[in-house]
Amino acid sequence: MKPMFASAALTLALFAALPQQARAEDPIESRKQIEAIIKAFGKAMADKDRDGFLRLFLREDITWVGAYTDGSVARYRASLKDPKEPSPKTSSSTPRKFIDRIISAPEARTETFENVRIDTDGDMAQVLFDYSFMVGDYRNNWGKESWQLVRTEHGWKIAAVVWSAEENPAPRPGI
């Protein structure tokens, strides 16, 4: 029994000797850093800042998937010349394609974040919030959005983005 206690004591002593940055950060500090990522995401969109936006992600090929509501899919199908043509319930893309569409759009495209909930242990995090995607002053779509984040040696990075989308049934003014 003594060797087991000695082994546990040695493990604890080694862990205590690790530099502070090698340990999981304080969850309160992690929350502040994650909140800064959320603000940076919105600012990069508003500023059409491709490099700043892409720096927020672990890689460019992360999961990036939207799930459209049944009502949105039905409205899309009704707008087709051939309503039998299949319309997707989900869409996938990449952070680069997303920010490039924003940069190329003549009008401002922004996202609001409400009811933000962050759950973290200091090394990984789940962020869930209600969002509205705005095209100028028009509320284009809205729903829930979920991010998975990991803390790397370069700070927090978004590792996956999944959202639901209710497309606005009211046409955009001027179109």
Side-chain angles (χ1 to χ4, degrees), residues 104-174:
S104 67
E107 66 277 287
R109 295 184 181 221
T110 57
E111 189 168 340
T112 64
F113 308 90
E114 297 178 8
N115 302 315
V116 177
R117 292 158 314 274
I118 299 170
D119 187 15
T120 183
D121 65 0
D123 289 311
M124 61 80 62
Q126 163 76 32
V127 178
L128 180 66
F129 53 88
D130 300 327
Y131 79 92
S132 290
F133 185 81
M134 306 296 293
V135 176
D137 293 331
Y138 174 76
R139 188 176 181 212
N140 191 70
N141 60 281
W142 57 88
K144 300 249 183 239
E145 191 164 328
S146 171
W147 297 355
Q148 296 287 318
L149 293 95
V150 293
R151 189 171 59 86
T152 72
E153 59 275 0
H154 303 292
W156 285 95
K157 300 293 178 181
I158 302 169
V161 176
V162 178
W163 69 95
S164 63
E166 175 72 31
E167 298 286 328
N168 194 335
R172 192 164 49 164

Side-chain angles (χ1 to χ4, degrees), residues 5-23:
F5 288 121
S7 176
L10 179 60
T11 300
L12 287 173
L14 289 172
F15 180 75
L18 286 174
Q20 189 62 31
Q21 72 251 21
R23 295 187 209 158

